[in-house]
Every structure is written in structure tokens, then in C-alpha cells.
Amino acid sequence: MANSCHICGLGSYVPDKILTNHDLEKLVDTSDEWILSRTGIRQRHILESGANASDAAMEAAHAALADAGVSPEELTHIFVATCSPDYFCPSTACLVAGRLGLSAKGDGQGAHVMCMDFNAACSGFLYGLELARSVLALRPDGVVLLIGAEALSRRIDFSDRSTCILFGDGAGAVVLRGSSAGSLWGVQDCSCCSDGSLHNLIVMGGGSAMEVKKGDMLPDDFFLTMQGREVFRHAVRSMAAESRAMLERHGMTVDDIDLFIAHQANLRIIEAVGSRLGIDESKVFVNVQDYANTSAATLPLALDDARTQGRLKPGMKVLLSTFGGGITWGAALLA
């Protein structure tokens, strides 16, 4: 079947404020050497007070639309992958649409764009690619804006050194079309997986399971918690297996891949997955040292960063791999 989903624009955004490992030494019992040796992270970007996930999403959206040469009025769908939205309701996607000027004209007409948030945690971008593939298969004339945006610093306990060192804020976006005209890469294939029996490995509360009433103190389970060793084990195994399956499905090996971009959560995970796949280190893109784990934003941010650095060019064969809360994981092939 002919490929019906093409990336025709990329954009990303990270806040100006930087929190280094040395800054964290003043907050918790940790050190730059301890963080760097265990995660590969040197710094992370943090939203200023008053700026939210939707603000990061807007910056990435503007950049992606400009890169694609697409006006907001051409969009048919806006999807935002996030586990740290501004609100449970309204959706961040609706906020983005409103700020892009996609409003009705008083008679209920003129704003025919579908807006939706979804939460697959760190796997959100690949889940979004699969959503976009489905939409564009049914509606070849569609134009999809897919954004991964996170404000995870708002849900991190900065007295917990096991989690506060790992995460940052940011956003990445792509514009997707059914037509190959102006295509940077076609989305050749995408696979998304989950295992809900392991839901307790990564948890961030705040939903209806948190029984609070007005005046209550904020409970500890409002903040993100993670079983680090178990996450590491499952992440390496799942990402490597699904990446290998993706290549085998297309009769390819790692030698056919120009660039491998894994979810930027932890350098040790990326190295372990690369080692299991047997892929040359020169083909593995890493920027976790500069941004830390930005959850659903890591893959689109890495794509844009790799292109800016000259590591990624249109038409290259790119293998993407991810893992996140839920638990969720997946792989995608771009070419």
C-alpha cells in the first residue's frame, strides 16, 4: 500500500531558563558527577512562572507551520500529546487552535478543525504519528499538526532526587500531509504497544483517583513517581525488541538505517538499546544531555535538533523508538 503520511514541516521550542546539575546540588543531595554518570544529563530547560505547556506548544507549532509553508487555516486536525496539559478541560489542542485564530465566525461556521489531546506519556509522539496515519488514510487531503508538549517541572517533586534530575520542559511539532509534495520524510510504518499491568511503574496523580476536597493539602501522589530500575529493564527490552521487529517487517537491518533516534530519557537506556540492536554509535543521535527527558516532546525535539546540527537530512532512513508510562512503547520508520 502506498505511503499516505508525510512529514512536511518540523519545529521545536525549549524555554530560556536552564536548570543545571550544579543548580540541583543546591536543592537536593546530589552532584553533577552523580547525575551525569547515571543519566548523561547536564541540564534541563524549565518554564518560567506564568508560562504553560500551551505556550511551548504554540512556539513549536509556529515553527513547524513556517517550515512547512502551511497557514493555520489549512489545518484539518490538531493533536497534542501531553501528560502535563494546562487543564484537564479544555484541551491544550483547543487552546492552540484558538491562539492560531481558528475560531468560528459568529454563525458557527469557518473553524472546521478537529482538536484533541491524548496521553501516552513519553510515547505520545509515536502514538500521534499512528493517529495521523489513520486520519490521512481516510482523508488524504487532510493537514495534521501534531505537537508533543510538556510542562513536567510543574509535576515534579524537587525534594526527590530520583525524579527531579530527570525531566525538563519543552515542545516539538510536525506538520503531516497525505501528499508527498514537499515531504521531508514519509512515515513508512509505526507500531504502538502497551502493557497496562505495569501501570504502577510510572505514575503521576491528580486525576479522579485522587480524592481531595477544597482546602485539603496537596497529596504526595500529585507528583510523578517512578520505579527506576524496573523502568530501565522494561524500557531496554521493549524498545530493542520493537525496533528489531520494525526492521524485520521491512526486510531491513540496522545497516540500512541512517539515523537512530530513541526516546531521550536516559543515556544509559539509549546506549543499552543501541547495543542490543548492534547499531553503530555514529548513527545514534543523543541530545538528552541538553534537554533531559521532555516526555512526549523528546522525539520531535530531537528530530528538529538533529536536522539543525546537520545530522538529519530529508529522505534519510530514520528509526524511532520510545517508551513511557502506561506502560507504552513503540517504533517508527521514516524515509
Side-chain angles (χ1 to χ4, degrees):
M1 184 175 68
N3 179 44
S4 61
C5 184
H6 299 266
I7 296 174
C8 58
L10 273 176
S12 62
Y13 169 79
V14 290
D16 292 333
K17 181 179 178 180
I18 292 175
L19 189 69
T20 67
N21 292 346
H22 293 296
D23 293 327
L24 286 173
E25 290 175 352
K26 304 170 186 176
L27 301 177
V28 291
D29 180 17
T30 191
S31 69
D32 176 63
E33 187 279 330
W34 191 92
I35 298 171
L36 191 60
S37 64
R38 287 161 176 78
T39 70
I41 298 169
R42 295 182 182 276
Q43 64 180 35
R44 65 285 299 144
H45 293 251
I46 304 295
L47 286 164
E48 296 280 4
S49 177
N52 301 309
S54 64
D55 297 295
M58 279 299 302
E59 296 288 346
H62 281 307
L65 289 168
D67 189 45
V70 168
S71 69
E73 291 75 21
E74 295 177 72
L75 295 173
T76 58
H77 298 75
I78 299 176
F79 296 146
V80 176
T82 183
C83 59
S84 53
D86 291 20
Y87 313 102
F88 283 157
C89 180
S91 71
T92 308
C94 279
L95 297 179
V96 169
R99 291 173 62 179
L100 287 174
L102 301 178
S103 59
K105 309 305 180 185
D107 56 0
Q109 302 299 313
H112 299 282
V113 58
M114 175 183 172
C115 295
M116 183 179 74
D117 286 4
F118 60 95
N119 178 3
C122 300
S123 301
F125 181 70
L126 285 197
Y127 270 60
L129 284 184
E130 185 71 341
L131 281 173
R133 291 178 74 213
S134 303
V135 164
L136 293 172
L138 291 170
R139 185 172 176 179
D141 63 340
V143 183
V144 179
L145 174 62
L146 169 61
I147 307 170
E150 301 286 10
L152 286 170
S153 63
R154 305 290 166 78
R155 305 303 296 275
I156 297 300
D157 176 2
F158 280 93
S159 67
D160 176 11
R161 76 169 186 172
S162 69
T163 56
C164 74
I165 66 173
L166 299 175
F167 297 95
D169 301 331
V174 294
V175 177
L176 300 138
R177 288 183 179 271
S179 167
S180 61
S183 173
L184 299 171
W185 301 274
V187 183
Q188 301 295 315
D189 198 0
C190 188
S191 61
C192 297
C193 313
S194 66
D195 184 350
S197 70
L198 298 172
H199 67 275
N200 62 326
L201 294 186
I202 306 171
V203 178
M204 187 163 63
S208 59
M210 182 182 291
E211 299 185 27
V212 295
K213 61 182 182 297
K214 189 174 182 179
D216 285 352
M217 294 289 289
L218 194 65
D220 289 344
D221 58 359
F222 174 83
F223 300 101
L224 186 148
T225 59
M226 183 170 63
Q227 298 180 38
R229 290 184 178 180
E230 283 299 294
V231 168
F232 187 103
R233 183 170 67 87
H234 285 284
V236 172
R237 183 184 65 189
S238 300
M239 292 169 69
E242 198 59 32
S243 295
R244 190 177 297 111
M246 175 66 69
L247 293 174
E248 291 175 354
R249 187 153 61 244
H250 291 269
M252 300 170 66
T253 70
V254 291
D255 293 333
D256 298 309
I257 295 299
D258 297 308
L259 197 65
F260 175 58
I261 304 180
H263 169 50
Q264 303 291 304
N266 182 312
L267 179 60
R268 307 303 164 229
I269 292 176
I270 298 169
E271 290 176 336
V273 173
S275 177
R276 286 201 179 195
L277 291 175
I279 192 166
D280 191 279
E281 289 183 5
S282 65
K283 294 184 176 183
V284 180
F285 182 78
V286 179
N287 67 357
V288 69
Q289 69 277 1
D290 296 321
Y291 305 110
N293 183 351
T294 56
S295 188
T298 67
L299 286 180
L301 199 163
L303 284 168
D304 197 32
D305 199 19
R307 185 177 62 165
T308 298
Q309 293 182 30
R311 297 280 306 277
L312 178 61
K313 294 179 173 61
M316 278 186 168
K317 292 183 176 64
V318 185
L319 178 63
L320 304 177
S321 180
T322 194
F323 182 91
I327 61 173
T328 56
W329 69 95
L333 181 63
L334 311 180

